[in-house]
Amino acid sequence: MSPVWTRLIRFVAADSKIYFGEPIVAGDATVDKLLEAGSLEAKVITGDVFAEDAVVTDQVVKVQSLLAPLSKDQIPIIKCIGLNYKAHIAEGGRTPPPYPSVFIKPNHSLADAFEDIPIPKLAYETLDYEGELTIVIGKTGKDIPIEKVGEYVAGYTVANDVSNRKWQRDPKYAGGVPQWCFSKGFDKFAPIGPAIVSQKLLGDRPALDLTTRVNGEVRQSTNTSDLLFHVPEIVSFISQGTTLEKGTIIMTGTPAGVAMGMKNPLWLQNGDVVEVEIASIGKVSNKMVHA
């Protein structure tokens, strides 16, 4: 699948309207840096952004703020892979899984790239971050062969798989078997953005530096080449007997450095700001706010 754009943003313009656009980017700049500098502009895109007949118009508008690059209605489901960085697996004292470990978040978990994340009262304690490279499916498919995965991937974005460990792992709350869907599926627990960068720019196996910061302090720092299962293996595996609809978001797993893996965990607190940045894509930055 080769979209008509190389980078896709969804944004609010000076006229307060929401648009999709191809950001005007030169060199190694990312859209978040250009927005901070007050110089981000985009060519408006019309039509279905995944369709071959979408049009990158000549209408150039100034970007006032960045949203998630897709709306909730465009994302049928958020699929996630657990235990997928070699160092993170070792950090948790786990054995590498033989196949990708899959769980889901509902599309109501979607949050914009820079919006506050409301934390429900039952999730105040043991709140954690997970910076992740995220796949965007651009064409519906099923039983996708590894060698054809690139035909179905529109591109990549950045995500924070916000998680509550008490509801994930504590037997008093999660039961005898760790459960992931409830503990990670609260509303707005999946901020993504600031752009989708196309597969034709980044390839099938992007090797990109990923950094997660909490209040400016680096907590995670790795390269996506450390993934146990990379993009082709993930997409091919989870499409077995299962339809992957266009717009599906797939979080590929998080590296070492999460609070849960610390001897004295530094859980997220009310007001903490989490930034997840991936080279060539940009960053999401979200404040945790007790609701």
Side-chain angles (χ1 to χ4, degrees), residues 66-71 75 78 109-115 117 132 134-136 157-161 188-196 247 249 251 283-286:
L66 287 165
L67 307 173
L70 297 175
S71 70
I75 299 174
I78 301 169
S109 292
L110 179 72
D112 290 328
F114 299 100
E115 77 170 303
I117 307 302
E132 309 204 11
T134 298
I135 305 162
V136 181
T157 191
V158 180
N160 180 4
D161 176 14
K188 304 287 188 181
F189 266 40
I192 69 168
I196 300 171
I249 299 297
M251 297 186 181
K283 73 178 179 183
V284 296
S285 180
N286 309 89

Side-chain angles (χ1 to χ4, degrees), residues 2-11 19-26 29 31 34 39-46 49 54-63 66 69 154 194-198 200-201:
S2 184
V4 300
W5 41 267
T6 55
R7 294 175 179 84
L8 176 71
I9 58 174
R10 180 169 154 265
F11 62 94
Y19 296 92
F20 289 97
E22 168 89 59
I24 299 171
V25 175
V31 296
L34 293 172
S39 59
L40 181 58
E41 295 181 318
K43 293 183 177 181
V44 172
I45 297 175
T46 59
V49 295
V55 176
V56 180
T57 71
D58 292 327
Q59 180 186 358
V60 176
V61 295
K62 184 75 174 289
V63 176
L66 287 165
I196 300 171
V197 179
S198 68
K200 61 191 172 189
L201 284 185

